Amino acid sequence: MGFCFPGKFTAKQGAEARNVPKGYLAVYVGEAQKKRFMVPISYLKSLSFQNLLIQAEEEFGFDHPMGGLTIPCREEAFIDVTRSLNGL
């Protein structure tokens, strides 16, 4: 069973969505320039990753400018959080 979300999707966005490996989700990270990262869905249960998601919710609500989940923090801070989660 799938989910359909109303909105605009370009062919490129659709192709990018298909390039996400099973068990991962794509997020866009950065302040001015956004970079796309693949993160394991297991990160969703981590308190530090949940804090990043709360920041995204506070800044964007459900209207993410990149068409996907956008986390408004410095790329270096995101990498630090994910690096700490890799050891779990």
Side-chain angles (χ1 to χ4, degrees):
M1 176 179 224
F3 296 93
C4 180
F5 297 101
K8 294 187 248 177
F9 292 95
T10 65
K12 183 179 179 198
Q13 288 171 324
E16 282 185 359
R18 287 189 297 270
N19 291 332
V20 177
K22 185 175 181 177
Y24 286 78
L25 67 130
V27 296
Y28 295 91
V29 178
E31 292 174 324
Q33 179 113 2
K34 307 288 189 246
K35 185 172 179 183
R36 188 171 188 244
F37 289 88
M38 302 292 174
V39 296
I41 58 172
S42 62
Y43 286 7
L44 294 174
K45 56 187 173 183
S46 159
L47 185 58
S48 56
F49 196 80
Q50 289 174 11
N51 287 334
L52 293 174
L53 295 175
I54 289 169
Q55 285 180 345
E57 178 187 24
E58 289 172 352
E59 180 150 338
F60 301 113
F62 293 107
D63 185 27
H64 291 264
M66 297 297 294
L69 181 58
T70 306
I71 298 179
C73 71
R74 291 183 358 266
E75 186 178 328
E76 297 81 18
F78 179 79
I79 291 171
D80 287 343
V81 168
T82 57
R83 187 174 292 139
S84 72
L85 295 174
N86 282 333
L88 297 178

